[in-house]
Amino acid sequence: MPTVVARHRVGNFDTWLKGHQDRVELFSKFASGFETFQDTNDPNSVVLVADVFDFDAMQAVLGNQEVMEKIAKEKHTVIEPIIASLPVNVAVSV
C-alpha cells in the first residue's frame, strides 16, 4: 500500500478544515486513511498523507472535474496546483 503525499494551498484554512468529513468520504474510495498537516510558515499551505489501496481509483476521483470544481475549489477553497508525491525505492549500498 503506497503512501501518497499531496500538497496544496487553500484560500482560507478554517473553511478548508471544516470540510474534513468531505475528505474522509472522498478518500475512503481509494485510501485506508490519511493524516492532515499544516505548514508552520504558511497557515494556508496543507499536506495530506494518504495510505492508498487503489491508485487507479485515486486518479479517477482526483481527475474528476466536478469533484475538483465543486468540492475542492469552491467549497474548500483549494488552490491549484495540487502536488502529489509518490514513494521512491532507494537502494542503499554499503
Side-chain angles (χ1 to χ4, degrees):
M1 180 177 323
T3 300
V4 176
V5 177
R7 172 183 299 276
H8 62 81
R9 297 193 78 249
V10 295
N12 182 291
F13 180 77
D14 292 330
T15 298
W16 179 82
L17 194 59
K18 288 176 186 172
H20 178 74
Q21 189 57 42
D22 289 341
R23 283 184 292 285
V24 168
E25 291 173 21
L26 192 66
F27 276 55
S28 71
K29 298 174 183 178
F30 57 81
S32 61
F34 67 94
E35 291 184 85
T36 303
F37 297 86
Q38 180 184 39
D39 286 357
T40 58
N41 63 341
D42 182 352
N44 287 327
S45 180
V46 297
V47 176
L48 300 171
V49 179
D51 296 319
V52 176
F53 61 77
D54 188 338
F55 192 73
D56 292 335
M58 181 188 84
Q59 289 182 307
V61 168
L62 299 180
N64 181 318
Q65 279 305 109
E66 184 176 348
V67 168
M68 295 309 294
E69 289 297 326
K70 293 194 184 229
I71 294 176
K73 291 180 183 178
E74 291 178 22
K75 187 174 179 184
H76 298 262
T77 72
V78 170
I79 299 170
E80 290 199 70
I82 299 171
I83 301 167
S85 300
L86 301 172
V88 175
N89 293 325
V90 178
V92 178
S93 59
V94 181

